[in-house]
Amino acid sequence: EMQLVESGGGLVPPGGSLRLSCAASGFSFRDNWMYWVRQAPGKGPVWVSLISSTGNTKAYADSVKGRFSISRDNARNTLYLQMNSLRVEDTALYYCVKDTSSGWYDVWGQGILVTVSS
Amino acid sequence: ENVLTQSPGTLSLSPGERVILSCRASQSVTSDYLAWYQQKPGQAPRLLIYGASNRASGIPDRFSGSGSGTDFTLTISRLEPEDFAVYFCHHYGKLQDTFGQGTKVEIK
């Protein structure tokens, strides 16, 4: 069974940092592009960042560019999201997501809550 | 950015009814790269439809997708109790992913 399990969330004050991790299993992690998607309460999902299978291509939503950094360790089957200079508006449930070769998302983690508040 | 607008925001229906959900894009969707997801409270989104009209593995045939260009539709032919949820459309394509704001299907 393909599975993604996020960890590392929590409560952090504005300006603080967090590092999210996502452990993948049940599929060939090294062959897949991976994504972080976030969802604020009562809102639709929002794409945050992506990374190619080799890690050579990375992209970020304008709202997090310069503050967030995506990376991966294919030997450990793990995806990361380093979040710096956090803002109140970054508060959301963060999902680790796998796509198919054609681009739709077929596997989502259970989500990890990030709360930015003083 | 291709903005996806879903309508209506909320639908109040009874089991057994037919449901038609709309997703309208601000720009044409390349190669019908449009997916639909179902989300229940406390759960991650679940893929229903990809490529505008292809059902994902294990999805009942009461769910169907159609459309092209800028107008897409998700139809549930006959609502089952487990179908009451929020539905999102998604324009995918590596560097151009956007989601609609969702349509909630609630029990009348």
Side-chain angles (χ1 to χ4, degrees):
Chain A
E1 179 191 3
M2 294 185 286
Q3 195 172 12
L4 298 168
V5 179
E6 302 95 339
S7 60
L11 173 64
V12 60
S17 297
L18 275 177
R19 188 196 198 201
L20 304 184
S21 298
C22 170
S25 60
F27 64 96
S28 181
F29 179 75
R30 66 179 64 249
D31 292 331
N32 285 272
W33 289 51
M34 296 296 297
Y35 300 74
W36 288 100
V37 173
R38 69 185 182 186
Q39 187 174 27
K43 303 292 186 181
V46 175
W47 172 79
V48 172
S49 183
L50 69 79
I51 186 168
S52 63
S53 55
T54 61
N56 289 342
T57 298
K58 301 177 183 181
Y60 302 92
D62 288 344
S63 58
V64 306
K65 203 172 292 183
R67 301 187 298 121
F68 289 14
S69 178
I70 191 170
S71 61
R72 65 190 296 159
D73 184 339
N74 285 344
R76 296 177 183 270
N77 290 340
T78 303
L79 175 72
Y80 302 100
L81 185 68
Q82 178 66 45
M83 306 186 293
N84 298 329
S85 303
L86 282 161
R87 305 168 179 168
V88 171
E89 55 266 34
D90 294 320
T91 294
L93 197 60
Y94 283 72
Y95 292 100
C96 168
V97 184
K98 167 194 168 302
D99 82 346
T100 64
S101 58
S102 296
W104 63 84
Y105 300 170
D106 63 341
V107 183
W108 296 63
Q110 83 285 357
I112 190 78
L113 183 61
V114 172
T115 304
V116 185
S117 174
S118 53
Chain B
E1 177 181 318
N2 199 347
V3 178
L4 302 182
T5 302
Q6 293 186 241
S7 60
T10 303
L11 274 173
S12 298
L13 298 166
S14 301
E17 291 196 79
R18 181 183 177 87
V19 186
I20 300 176
L21 308 181
S22 171
C23 175
R24 177 162 290 177
S26 61
Q27 306 167 39
S28 185
V29 173
T30 310
S31 302
D32 292 339
Y33 280 177
L34 194 288
W36 289 92
Y37 301 85
Q38 176 194 69
Q39 188 175 34
K40 297 180 180 179
Q43 297 184 18
R46 171 197 181 198
L47 177 68
L48 299 175
I49 301 287
Y50 64 90
S53 61
N54 302 285
R55 265 189 305 277
S57 176
I59 302 303
D61 60 7
R62 64 179 180 273
F63 291 91
S64 63
S66 63
S68 63
T70 60
D71 290 296
F72 297 87
T73 296
L74 175 69
T75 300
I76 309 173
S77 60
R78 186 179 172 84
L79 266 176
E80 296 289 338
E82 62 267 28
D83 299 337
F84 291 94
V86 179
Y87 293 84
F88 296 102
C89 56
H90 169 214
H91 175 210
Y92 54 88
K94 297 301 188 194
L95 296 176
Q96 57 189 21
D97 291 38
T98 55
F99 291 86
Q101 81 281 14
T103 291
K104 182 179 182 180
V105 177
E106 63 179 23
I107 299 176
K108 188 173 182 180

